[in-house]
Amino acid sequence: MRTQVGIIGSGPAGLMLAQILHNHGIESVILERQSRAYVEARIRAGVLEQGTVNMLREMGVHKRMDAEGLVHDGFALAFDGRTERINMRELTGGSTVMVYGQTEVTKDLIDARLSAGGMLKYSAPAVAVEDYDSARPRIIYEENGQRQELICDFVAGCDGYHGVSRQSVPADKLTLFEKVYPFGWLGILSDTPPVDEELIYANHQRGFALCSMRSHTRSRYYVQCSLDDKVENWSDDAFWDELRRRLPPETAAKLITGPRLEMSIAPLRSFVAEPLRFGNLFLAGDAAHIVPPTGAKGLNLAAADVYYLSRAFIAHYGEGRTGLLARYSDACLRRVWKAIRFSWWFTSLMHKFDDDSLNHRLQLAELDYLTSSVAGRTTMAENYVGLPFERFE
Ligand code: RFL
Ligand code: PHB
């Protein structure tokens, strides 16, 4: 089989890239290791930055998001018995975020892809990318137990942290940066009304907690847990009790609890692979970088990569300009590192670290400073709504 752009992975990065390319008359094939049902059931991120929302609207995959998504003007930081609101809209001159689950974004993108007649192969794991330095890179993949080849002009590695794209590059061509945090997030999804209209990030002596949501009737909550904790150790009641303990009393009193729809533990990691281009192989999304979820940047970073990469392909196929392909890695990484920094900083500010009580008092002092200064609130707000995309043309 042959195509213009071979895309490995049908997460948000691969699906968004395919949709934009399709809208510009560029052909692609998506290879996905998992089944459609598996991909559509994964519970992940919940907050879309303005730039991601704009991209989904521009690519025409916005109807359900605009009908069902919740626009949030602000969020709260709870610490030391106080709850302080960060008014994003006011502090950033009008920017907001959209609460709309990654699961729903993925479903909408799959529907758009299939109704456009685009090729999306499920249960078709890529096993290697070969000859990416040549003009005929090849993706080797498996389908029904058979070895197959997809020959492309370009390969987009959108196959997440554990994917095969990055692993197809010799180790001496990559520089890796990684930090694993000494805790995880235990998350619950439940069909209960959210405790508040906006998200609440809580710094508490027992550990971090987050109140989030998917809709007016579906909540998503997290508590910081230890790395060796297991979902089996947590009954629903134990989760709700622990969450209540970490929230301000007036919030805890309002909490409506119910049975879990899902419960899972996510480890926290900061990771960057440099560069993002190897000949005609381009990495995008979690294949290239991971952030801890504090600040909800993972999905949005994947979208930003696709913004740059799609423009580079459009300039190449539309006008024969290759300059943007050459600049892709640097342009992306400048923005990636700022999001890596923000997510690391917000994680460090909000979580309990084993070390010492001094650390906790320093966190409280910083939160006090940050929320009482316009400059502090503004820096928080402008990072949370998402830093602007660079001009890339
Ligand atoms: P994805 O979504 O991981 O998609 C990659 C896709 O590639 C497939 N794949 C392969 N396909 C073919 N051949 C192979 N060899 C393949 N290897 C892998 C995978 O099956 C998958 O379908 O990456 P993408 O598109 O870059 O999107 C990134 C986002 O999904 C990610 O940044 C966020 O979801 C991160 N993340 C969260 N971010 C938040 O902002 N808030 C959250 O609450 C949040 N929770 C999470 C998360 C990521 C998680 N993962 C990856 C473990 C919770 C989890 C569990
Ligand atoms: C979520 O709703 O899953 C969520 C929201 C905000 C975050 C992380 C996760 O910072």
Side-chain angles (χ1 to χ4, degrees):
M1 200 172 32
R2 216 205 125 88
T3 191
Q4 290 179 305
V5 182
I7 300 175
I8 311 179
S10 78
L15 289 165
M16 287 176 97
L17 179 63
Q19 190 62 28
I20 300 174
L21 295 182
H22 169 80
N23 292 347
H24 287 82
I26 301 166
E27 191 194 86
S28 65
V29 171
I30 308 178
L31 301 173
E32 167 58 49
R33 173 166 59 186
Q34 305 288 357
S35 67
R36 178 175 179 180
Y38 182 96
V39 169
E40 289 192 343
R42 279 193 300 225
I43 313 288
R44 288 186 175 174
V47 178
L48 307 182
E49 294 175 355
Q50 189 77 57
T52 308
V53 169
N54 294 344
M55 282 178 68
L56 287 163
R57 286 189 184 139
E58 254 167 55
M59 67 181 86
V61 185
H62 61 287
K63 272 215 187 89
R64 209 160 63 94
M65 173 185 75
D66 282 332
E68 297 175 18
L70 309 173
V71 174
H72 282 204
D73 291 356
F75 63 91
L77 294 171
F79 59 98
D80 208 14
R82 295 156 54 183
T83 304
E84 301 288 345
R85 181 167 186 258
I86 305 291
N87 186 332
M88 294 182 277
R89 188 190 285 274
E90 207 175 273
L91 290 160
T92 62
S95 291
T96 55
V97 296
M98 173 84 82
V99 172
Y100 187 64
Q102 178 172 336
T103 314
E104 308 312 314
V105 175
T106 305
K107 282 184 197 158
D108 295 348
L109 285 163
I110 291 172
D111 285 348
R113 174 75 178 165
L114 297 179
S115 54
M119 183 88 89
L120 199 181
K121 285 178 177 288
Y122 289 105
S123 307
V127 291
V129 181
E130 293 184 351
D131 297 339
Y132 57 77
D133 264 331
S134 79
R136 272 167 63 92
R138 286 177 304 151
I139 305 173
I140 315 299
Y141 68 99
E142 284 169 7
E143 198 173 22
N144 302 319
Q146 302 279 318
R147 182 185 187 275
Q148 307 282 355
E149 278 186 16
L150 175 63
I151 298 170
C152 339
D153 299 338
F154 301 104
V155 176
C158 303
D159 46 355
Y161 181 69
H162 299 287
V164 77
S165 315
R166 197 181 64 247
Q167 287 163 22
S168 297
V169 176
D172 63 351
K173 298 263 188 307
L174 281 165
T175 307
L176 306 180
F177 302 86
E178 183 159 38
K179 177 182 180 65
V180 178
Y181 297 83
F183 39 72
W185 278 20
L186 172 69
I188 199 169
L189 186 73
S190 62
D191 270 337
T192 52
V195 69
D196 197 90
E197 282 178 6
E198 294 182 342
L199 271 64
I200 303 172
Y201 290 83
N203 172 307
H204 192 273
Q205 243 158 341
R206 293 182 66 89
F208 170 75
L210 169 61
C211 305
S212 182
M213 67 195 73
R214 291 292 176 272
S215 69
H216 291 305
T217 56
R218 183 167 287 186
S219 299
R220 180 77 165 154
Y221 297 101
Y222 298 93
V223 291
Q224 176 182 350
C225 63
S226 76
L227 265 185
D228 52 13
D229 218 335
K230 302 253 174 319
V231 168
E232 303 82 82
N233 298 342
W234 289 85
S235 66
D236 290 354
D237 283 346
F239 181 92
W240 296 121
D241 286 346
E242 187 57 37
L243 178 63
R244 265 194 218 94
R245 286 192 199 106
R246 298 185 189 189
L247 297 178
E250 63 283 7
T251 307
K254 288 191 297 179
L255 184 71
I256 299 177
T257 64
R260 76 181 76 176
L261 297 174
E262 189 254 11
M263 190 186 265
S264 53
I265 292 181
L268 273 68
R269 185 190 303 273
S270 297
F271 170 80
V272 183
E274 290 185 346
L276 305 186
R277 179 192 183 176
F278 307 89
N280 287 322
L281 166 64
F282 295 81
L283 302 181
D286 278 14
H289 41 70
I290 298 282
V291 287
T294 335
K297 294 290 162 227
L299 162 62
N300 294 296
L301 265 188
D305 292 357
V306 167
Y307 169 88
Y308 292 111
L309 188 55
S310 59
R311 283 178 163 241
F313 286 141
I314 293 163
H316 169 79
Y317 284 109
E319 302 159 39
R321 287 194 293 127
T322 55
L324 297 192
L325 290 170
R327 281 166 45 206
Y328 167 72
S329 183
D330 286 349
C332 257
L333 283 168
R334 266 194 296 279
R335 195 172 182 287
V336 164
W337 274 110
K338 288 178 202 143
I340 294 275
R341 183 210 69 83
F342 176 69
S343 306
W344 158 81
W345 168 77
F346 198 19
T347 300
S348 311
L349 182 65
M350 300 305 290
H351 289 74
K352 178 181 166 67
F353 287 78
D354 290 338
D355 42 3
D356 53 288
S357 50
L358 176 77
N359 192 52
H360 189 231
R361 297 300 286 266
L362 290 173
Q363 289 176 333
L364 297 184
E366 187 168 355
L367 282 161
D368 187 19
Y369 162 68
L370 190 72
T371 53
S372 60
S373 138
V374 177
R377 289 200 306 272
T378 306
T379 191
M380 187 78 220
E382 68 187 11
N383 278 281
Y384 196 90
V385 299
L387 298 175
F389 296 164
E390 248 177 57
R391 267 177 74 121
F392 198 62
E393 31 188 58

